[in-house]
Coordinates of all heavy atoms in Angstrom, one line a residue:
H1323 N -61.1 -32.6 -7.8 CA -60.8 -31.5 -6.9 C -61.2 -31.9 -5.4 O -62.3 -32.3 -5.2 CB -61.5 -30.2 -7.3 CG -61.2 -29.0 -6.5 ND1 -60.1 -28.3 -6.6 CD2 -61.9 -28.5 -5.4 CE1 -60.1 -27.3 -5.7 NE2 -61.2 -27.4 -5.0
Q1324 N -60.3 -31.6 -4.4 CA -60.5 -32.0 -3.1 C -60.8 -30.7 -2.3 O -61.7 -30.5 -1.5 CB -59.4 -32.8 -2.4 CG -59.2 -34.1 -3.1 CD -60.4 -35.0 -3.0 OE1 -60.9 -35.3 -1.9 NE2 -61.0 -35.4 -4.1
T1325 N -59.8 -29.7 -2.4 CA -59.9 -28.4 -1.7 C -58.9 -27.5 -2.3 O -58.1 -27.8 -3.2 CB -59.7 -28.6 -0.2 OG1 -60.0 -27.4 0.5 CG2 -58.2 -29.0 0.1
N1326 N -59.0 -26.3 -1.9 CA -58.0 -25.2 -2.3 C -57.0 -25.1 -1.1 O -57.4 -25.0 0.0 CB -58.6 -23.9 -2.6 CG -59.4 -23.9 -3.9 OD1 -59.0 -24.6 -4.8 ND2 -60.5 -23.2 -4.0
L1327 N -55.7 -25.0 -1.5 CA -54.7 -24.7 -0.5 C -54.4 -23.2 -0.5 O -54.7 -22.5 -1.4 CB -53.4 -25.5 -0.9 CG -53.5 -27.0 -1.0 CD1 -52.3 -27.6 -1.6 CD2 -53.8 -27.6 0.4
K1328 N -53.8 -22.7 0.6 CA -53.5 -21.3 0.7 C -52.4 -20.9 -0.3 O -51.4 -21.6 -0.3 CB -53.0 -21.1 2.2 CG -52.8 -19.6 2.5 CD -52.4 -19.4 3.9 CE -52.1 -17.9 4.2 NZ -51.7 -17.7 5.5
V1329 N -52.6 -19.8 -1.0 CA -51.5 -19.3 -1.9 C -50.4 -18.6 -1.0 O -50.8 -17.7 -0.3 CB -52.1 -18.3 -2.9 CG1 -51.0 -17.8 -3.8 CG2 -53.2 -19.0 -3.7
P1330 N -49.2 -19.1 -1.1 CA -48.1 -18.5 -0.3 C -47.9 -17.1 -0.8 O -48.0 -16.7 -1.9 CB -46.9 -19.3 -0.7 CG -47.4 -20.6 -1.2 CD -48.8 -20.3 -1.9
Q1331 N -47.7 -16.2 0.2 CA -47.4 -14.8 -0.1 C -46.0 -14.6 -0.1 O -45.2 -15.1 0.7 CB -48.0 -13.9 1.0 CG -49.5 -14.0 1.1 CD -50.2 -13.5 -0.1 OE1 -49.8 -12.4 -0.7 NE2 -51.2 -14.2 -0.7
P1332 N -45.4 -13.7 -1.1 CA -44.0 -13.4 -1.1 C -43.6 -12.7 0.2 O -44.3 -12.0 0.8 CB -43.9 -12.4 -2.3 CG -45.1 -12.7 -3.1 CD -46.2 -13.1 -2.1
V1333 N -42.3 -13.0 0.6 CA -41.8 -12.4 1.8 C -41.9 -10.9 1.8 O -42.2 -10.2 2.8 CB -40.4 -12.9 2.0 CG1 -39.8 -12.3 3.3 CG2 -40.3 -14.4 2.2
A1334 N -41.6 -10.3 0.7 CA -41.6 -8.8 0.6 C -42.9 -8.3 0.8 O -43.1 -7.2 1.4 CB -41.1 -8.4 -0.8
K1335 N -44.0 -8.9 0.3 CA -45.4 -8.5 0.5 C -45.7 -8.6 2.0 O -46.4 -7.7 2.5 CB -46.3 -9.4 -0.3 CG -47.4 -8.7 -0.9 CD -48.3 -9.6 -1.7 CE -48.6 -9.0 -3.1 NZ -49.6 -9.8 -3.8
L1336 N -45.3 -9.6 2.7 CA -45.6 -9.8 4.1 C -44.9 -8.7 4.9 O -45.5 -8.1 5.8 CB -45.1 -11.1 4.6 CG -45.9 -12.3 4.0 CD1 -45.3 -13.7 4.5 CD2 -47.3 -12.3 4.5
A1337 N -43.7 -8.3 4.6 CA -42.9 -7.3 5.3 C -43.6 -5.9 5.1 O -43.7 -5.1 6.1 CB -41.5 -7.3 4.8
R1338 N -44.1 -5.6 3.9 CA -44.8 -4.3 3.7 C -46.1 -4.2 4.4 O -46.5 -3.1 4.8 CB -45.0 -4.1 2.2 CG -43.8 -3.6 1.5 CD -44.1 -3.3 0.0 NE -43.7 -4.4 -0.8 CZ -44.2 -4.9 -1.9 NH1 -45.3 -4.3 -2.3 NH2 -43.8 -6.0 -2.5
S1339 N -46.8 -5.3 4.6 CA -48.1 -5.2 5.2 C -48.1 -5.1 6.8 O -49.0 -4.9 7.4 CB -49.0 -6.4 4.8 OG -48.4 -7.6 5.3

Side-chain angles (χ1 to χ4, degrees):
H1323 181 81
Q1324 298 299 299
T1325 190
N1326 286 327
L1327 301 171
K1328 184 176 178 181
V1329 177
Q1331 296 297 315
V1333 176
K1335 216 182 228 185
L1336 292 175
R1338 278 187 260 148
S1339 64

